[in-house]
Amino acid sequence: MKLVFAGTPEVAVPALDALIASGRHEVAAVVTRPDAPAGRGRRLVASPVAERAEEAGIEVLKPNRPRDEDFLARLREIAPDCCPVVAYGALLPRVALDIPAHGWVNLHFSLLPAWRGAAPVQHSIMAGDEITGASTFLIEEGLDSGPVYGTVTERIRPTDTSGDLLTRLAFAGAGLLEATMDGIEDGTLKAVPQPADGVTLAPKITVEDAQVDWSAPALRVDRVVRGCTPAPGAWTTFRGERLKLIQVTPRPEVTDLAPGRLSVGKNNVHVGTGSHAVELVWVQAQGKKPMKAADWARGVRIGAAETLGGV
C-alpha cells in the first residue's frame, strides 16, 4: 500500500523504520508536528520523525493544524491507501480521516479499551498493572475508541520506569503496526469493536500529579516515581525547594520512620511513607545534575529531624 505515516517523538521512529524497511509498502510522506523550540537557546528543532524521514529522503508535511486546507490538498494529491499513526500529537478532523481508503490506523501503547488517552504507559505503571501491551486500531472521532486490528502484550517488570517500558513497546509495536498494514492490504485482517467494559482513561500526567505524597504506602510512592520517569519527573520538596526523585527502592525492613521523615546512614538515605520506608537512590536538586542520594545528603548535611515534602 501507499502510506502516509503520522508521528512526532522518538518513540514513533521504530515504527517508521519498520515500514520503510518492509519492502512491501511505500512510505510516500510523513506528517509530523511543526518544529518546536528546544534546548537552552530555544532554537527551533525538527521532530525525531521529521529528521528520520529527511534522512530517508521522504517528503515531510508539518501542518500547524491537520485541518489546514493546503495540507488536506497535498494529502489528497498523494492519495494514500492508509495512514499509520504513532504519537502524532494532534486531533485529526473527519475531513482528514476520510481521505485514505483504509483510514488512519493508530498504534496505541495499551491493551484497549484500557488506558485510552495521552499517557497509557505512565498510568499502567502507576496503577500497578502487571501486564500491558500495544494495540492497533482504526481511528474514529472518539478518544481511542475505534475497532481494534491487533495487540501484543508486554510484562511490566518490578523496576520498569515509563521510559523503559515505552522503549520496549515502541519496538514490539513497530512489528505489530507492520503486520497490521500487511493484513489490511491482503484482506486477512478485520477490525473488531472494543468491548464496552474495561474502559479506563489515561490523561496526560501533570507536574502536580507527579508530586509524591509521603503519607501514601511505599508501593504507591515507588509506582509514582517509576511512572513519572523520565517525564514529567516525580518530585518532592526539601527546605522549600523542589527535589526530583529519579529512583527509589522500597525497604520493608525499615518501619520506624514517620511519613516524610529522613534518615541518613553511611551509604543510604531512607524516607518514611504511609507504610514502610523507601530508600532514595538517585535524586536531582534544583539547578543541579542527577546524583546518588547519599552524595546529595552529605552535601546538604541533613539534620536529625528533617523531612521531605513539608510534612
Side-chain angles (χ1 to χ4, degrees), residues 5-236:
F5 179 88
T8 298
E10 188 66 40
V11 71
V13 172
L16 175 58
D17 283 340
L19 292 171
I20 291 171
S22 73
R24 181 165 175 174
H25 309 289
E26 174 200 355
V27 181
V30 156
V31 184
T32 191
R33 300 293 291 148
D35 296 359
R40 290 189 175 179
R42 309 308 288 163
R43 183 172 56 89
L44 286 178
V45 175
S47 74
V49 163
E51 290 182 350
R52 180 67 188 94
E54 285 163 2
E55 288 171 9
I58 296 170
E59 179 181 357
V60 179
L61 308 173
K62 301 178 182 180
N64 289 320
R65 299 182 309 159
R67 63 176 64 254
D68 291 350
E69 193 48 53
D70 54 349
F71 164 69
L72 294 172
R74 180 62 189 134
L75 196 60
R76 291 187 189 100
E77 287 175 2
I78 296 170
D81 297 301
C82 191
C83 294
V85 184
V86 185
Y88 169 47
L91 290 175
L92 297 160
R94 170 53 59 189
V95 64
L97 294 176
D98 289 341
I99 291 174
H102 294 286
W104 297 65
V105 175
N106 192 43
L107 172 64
H108 182 76
F109 297 116
S110 80
L111 297 174
L112 292 169
W115 304 126
R116 295 177 180 174
V121 173
Q122 291 96 322
H123 279 277
S124 64
I125 289 176
M126 290 168 72
D129 293 349
E130 294 182 356
I131 299 291
T132 188
S135 308
T136 49
F137 71 95
L138 183 66
I139 294 180
E140 300 176 336
E141 289 181 280
L143 176 65
D144 300 334
S145 60
V148 172
Y149 283 106
T151 60
V152 291
T153 58
E154 180 71 30
R155 189 175 71 86
I156 300 178
R157 300 168 187 170
T159 58
D160 271 340
T161 65
S162 61
D164 298 333
L165 183 55
L166 193 54
T167 297
R168 297 204 305 277
L169 288 172
F171 285 93
L176 173 64
L177 187 62
E178 181 184 352
T180 300
M181 293 298 104
D182 293 349
I184 290 172
E185 183 205 20
D186 62 26
T188 60
L189 201 55
K190 302 297 180 187
V192 177
Q194 294 183 35
D197 295 334
V199 175
T200 49
L201 300 180
K204 182 179 178 180
I205 302 291
T206 66
V207 172
E208 290 74 23
D209 295 330
Q211 182 176 10
V212 167
D213 175 7
W214 295 108
S215 67
L219 200 61
R220 173 65 182 169
V221 171
D222 176 54
R223 288 171 182 170
V224 169
V225 172
R226 290 188 294 112
C228 292
T229 300
W235 62 280
T236 187

Side-chain angles (χ1 to χ4, degrees), residues 250-262:
R251 293 298 182 208
E253 70 277 11
V254 181
T255 58
D256 58 348
L257 289 175
R261 179 64 63 90
L262 285 159

